[in-house]
Amino acid sequence: MSSQSTRVKVTGRGIPLPGDDIDTDRIIPARYLREITFETLGRYAFQDERFDESGKPKPHPLNDPRYKGGSVLVVGRNFGCGSSREHAPQSLMRMGIAAFIGESFAEIFSGNCTALGLPAARVSHEDGRAIAGLVEADPAAVITVDLDAQSISVSGRRFAFTMPDADRRSLLTGEWDSTAVLLARRDAISAAAARIPYVHGWNA
């Protein structure tokens, strides 16, 4: 989904990624920050944890064929901590991740996700474990993250989630950066500017 459109629901299969304090250096190793654009970053997400030095795959949820095609990453506590690099959510988005469910997220990582149109839904420790367990038990299960209802549905169960009001509002309206807001309100801004005398050299 384009970052220029609103998203009320995100639906997809899940990928459980256990562990707390997974930082942005693990998500996208620093040597890939030299890429000219973000376009190719998806292939390098969790590179050092997914492959050895010879390129041979290691055991990792993102290499597990059961979760192939999953688009909702189920994580632990303080996901995305460390450096503020936008490359981390960019790499995950470009490998197909459309939403995150976790106990908590680093503030800057969460903000970068919102700017990209990726919901970062916060759930309790117990609910996070339950959701991960449901996905592990049935990798084909579909997860729905409903931003309007602030709920997560999977395998017939429903869980509440939280997220900062500003982030949720941005995702629901599509106004998640200042440029988008200005473009959406350009007519009103032009009309207001026309009423300001010094803009056009008018006299009151």
Side-chain angles (χ1 to χ4, degrees), residues 26-77:
R26 291 171 64 186
I27 296 171
I28 183 72
R31 63 185 179 278
Y32 297 115
L33 304 187
R34 296 191 296 269
E35 294 289 304
I36 296 174
T37 71
F38 292 129
E39 298 297 326
T40 60
L41 288 183
R43 71 184 69 166
Y44 305 123
F46 287 100
Q47 178 73 15
D48 292 342
E49 299 196 7
R50 296 175 63 197
F51 303 98
D52 64 20
E53 293 180 358
S54 67
K56 182 180 179 181
K58 300 178 183 179
H60 191 277
L62 291 172
N63 290 338
D64 192 327
R66 295 178 301 164
Y67 305 124
K68 185 176 181 180
S71 60
V72 180
L73 199 61
V74 184
V75 300
R77 183 180 64 248

Side-chain angles (χ1 to χ4, degrees), residues 98 111 116 121 133 140 146:
L116 294 172
D146 188 326

Side-chain angles (χ1 to χ4, degrees), residues 94-156:
R94 293 175 190 282
M95 74 174 301
I97 301 302
F100 302 89
I101 297 171
E103 189 174 343
S104 62
F105 298 88
E107 183 176 355
I108 294 176
F109 178 87
S110 177
N112 285 334
C113 286
T114 299
L116 294 172
L118 306 175
R122 295 154 174 79
V123 295
S124 68
H125 176 71
E126 293 74 18
D127 285 353
R129 293 189 63 181
I131 293 168
L134 290 169
V135 173
E136 291 169 356
D138 181 11
V142 173
I143 299 175
T144 297
V145 180
D146 188 326
L147 287 162
D148 192 36
Q150 286 191 258
S151 68
I152 296 165
S153 301
V154 55
S155 298

Side-chain angles (χ1 to χ4, degrees), residues 131-199:
I131 293 168
L134 290 169
V135 173
E136 291 169 356
D138 181 11
V142 173
I143 299 175
T144 297
V145 180
D146 188 326
L147 287 162
D148 192 36
Q150 286 191 258
S151 68
I152 296 165
S153 301
V154 55
S155 298
R157 294 186 61 181
R158 188 179 176 105
F159 305 87
F161 75 82
T162 62
M163 104 176 11
D165 288 340
D167 290 355
R168 179 169 168 266
R169 184 168 56 251
S170 294
L171 291 164
L172 286 170
T173 63
E175 298 178 353
W176 41 71
D177 61 51
S178 57
T179 301
V181 172
L182 292 173
L183 287 173
R185 299 176 180 173
R186 60 185 179 276
D187 292 340
I189 293 170
S190 296
R195 295 194 296 270
I196 300 174
Y198 59 77
V199 171

